[in-house]
Amino acid sequence: MRTPDAQLRAGHIPAHLIPEGTDPRTVVVVHHHAETRDWTGPILLAAVAGAGSVGVVMTLCLLLQVAATTATALAAAAPAGVGLSISLKARKGK
């Protein structure tokens, strides 16, 4: 024996749901059953986006560390008294 919900999903109309005096051949039952939500896709998307963001930040930190290490090594390897300087000359007004 089928349950009433299974009967409705199969398109069968139980007799107790048809009002008296109604021709059963003219009754149409519209039954909507909402699908259950599958959360796998959104959760995986959030995880991949988070991992990608962490990867970008870690890459930038690594590049910054390499640049700082390189600058320190170059400064230590340069002979004393040798360096770069920029001289700014002030313009005198007329």
Side-chain angles (χ1 to χ4, degrees):
M1 166 129 188
R2 291 183 175 185
T3 63
D5 189 44
Q7 288 178 345
L8 287 174
R9 279 187 278 134
H12 302 291
I13 306 167
H16 71 278
L17 294 178
I18 301 174
E20 289 189 33
T22 305
D23 184 10
R25 293 173 293 178
T26 61
V27 175
V28 176
V29 174
V30 178
H31 180 70
H32 176 70
H33 178 62
E35 293 295 324
T36 57
R37 177 86 167 137
D38 183 22
W39 290 98
T40 306
I43 289 173
L44 284 177
L45 179 64
V48 168
S53 299
V54 168
V56 168
V57 169
M58 293 298 288
T59 302
L60 290 175
C61 289
L62 178 66
L63 289 175
L64 182 64
Q65 181 182 5
V66 168
T69 304
T70 304
T72 304
L74 287 176
V82 176
L84 298 174
S85 62
I86 299 173
S87 60
L88 300 174
K89 295 181 181 180
R91 296 174 103 190
K92 294 184 179 182
K94 293 182 179 181

